[in-house]
Amino acid sequence: TTRRLLEAAAAAAEGKRDVARAIFDDLESYHRREAQAVVPPPGRPALDAALDPYFNELRARLDEIASARALTPRNADAVASYGELLASTILSFALSHSGIDAAWVDCRRVLVTDDDFTRARPLYGPTDARLRETLLPLLRAGRVPVVGGYVGATLQGVTTTLGKEGSDFSAAIVGAALGAEEVQIWTDVEGMRTADPQLYPGARRIRTLSFAEALELSCSGAKKPHYGTLGPASRAGVPIRILDSRQPE
């Protein structure tokens, strides 16, 4: 979805309003369809009320880009952010209607970054303070916070993104701030391997790595974990576990 959002923004900047609108319509249909599949009919009016502002804002942003015929990094981040905002909102509704006391938290309120748009870096002081202030009361009350990854905001409230693999980075930031027992990253492979299993089926799983070893592999091309993930986790001593979402057992 993030990739498609950026394609829509690029098309708008090139004056291809019809292409941008087609991508927008496709994404809106997709998200509404998937959302309705996990929320029963009585809950759908509230769901639509939560999703409508995102689609209205995104449509207006794409029109603004098309009128300006330019895509700034700031606008690119604003457009790209809607994928995580929509997904986390839908997930919170799905959990709530499955009997889990979920509480949606706007990631832009708790993840504070600099203004280096498209590759923003977290400001750990205010971020840690906001995460603890917002999430710890929810956890103590037995609730499950749902926070989108990848997206943050400056101290002035301007939307930013952390760049590629920013969701893993966000998870480590949250886990470190809260002193979590561990950070779990669910992906398409269990743990780090000696090679990419899609290229080399005989790749073996590495059971345990130090943060330093994982960082060296990550900087040498390993897909998981993203190198940014290791910084906050290592400073707080929070282990990272990589798990296969296709084999949750």
Side-chain angles (χ1 to χ4, degrees):
T1 293
T2 301
R3 178 178 56 79
R4 294 283 285 157
L5 285 166
L6 291 173
E7 287 175 359
E14 294 171 5
K16 301 175 181 177
R17 288 179 182 262
D18 55 339
V19 175
R21 179 51 62 90
I23 295 173
F24 171 87
D25 290 343
D26 183 54
L27 287 173
E28 181 179 13
S29 297
Y30 167 72
H31 281 84
R32 291 195 186 276
R33 181 176 67 250
E34 296 302 315
Q36 290 187 1
V38 294
V39 175
R44 290 176 187 166
L47 173 67
D48 288 337
L51 299 182
D52 286 348
Y54 294 138
F55 292 119
N56 292 337
E57 292 167 12
L58 176 57
R59 187 185 299 110
R61 182 74 66 167
L62 291 173
D63 286 342
E64 176 187 322
I65 293 169
S67 297
R69 293 295 294 268
L71 179 59
T72 64
R74 176 170 172 162
N75 271 335
D77 272 359
V79 170
S81 71
Y82 287 102
E84 285 283 340
L85 294 173
L86 287 163
S88 60
T89 299
I90 293 169
L91 178 59
S92 67
F93 272 85
L95 292 173
S96 295
H97 286 280
S98 298
I100 296 170
D101 189 3
W104 182 78
V105 175
D106 190 336
C107 49
R108 297 168 297 184
R109 284 180 44 228
V110 292
L111 182 56
V112 185
T113 75
D114 61 19
D115 61 357
D116 191 6
F117 297 104
T118 73
R119 52 185 179 187
R121 309 306 295 176
L123 303 179
Y124 285 105
T127 293
D128 289 351
R130 291 191 189 186
L131 284 169
R132 295 184 188 117
E133 179 183 359
T134 305
L135 301 188
L136 288 178
L138 295 172
L139 293 168
R140 293 186 184 117
R143 307 192 70 190
V144 178
V146 179
V147 188
Y150 172 65
V151 178
T154 66
L155 285 167
Q156 293 73 38
V158 181
T159 299
T160 59
T161 69
L162 300 180
K164 189 176 180 181
E165 302 294 344
S167 292
D168 291 356
F169 193 5
S170 296
I173 293 167
V174 174
L178 301 183
E181 292 182 8
E182 69 179 19
V183 170
Q184 295 182 356
I185 296 176
W186 290 83
T187 181
D188 58 356
V189 64
E190 183 184 3
M192 295 186 75
R193 303 251 172 174
T194 53
D196 185 341
Q198 295 184 358
L199 300 177
Y200 181 66
R204 293 177 290 107
R205 180 166 63 94
I206 305 170
R207 293 190 62 85
T208 305
L209 282 169
S210 69
F211 282 114
E213 291 168 328
L215 179 61
E216 185 171 349
L217 283 175
S218 181
C219 291
S220 299
K223 294 181 178 179
K224 294 287 182 178
H226 180 257
Y227 66 87
T229 305
L230 299 166
S234 62
R235 284 195 296 272
V238 177
I240 296 174
R241 185 182 300 199
I242 302 173
L243 301 161
D244 187 346
S245 58
R246 298 170 301 181
Q247 302 182 62
E249 71 283 355

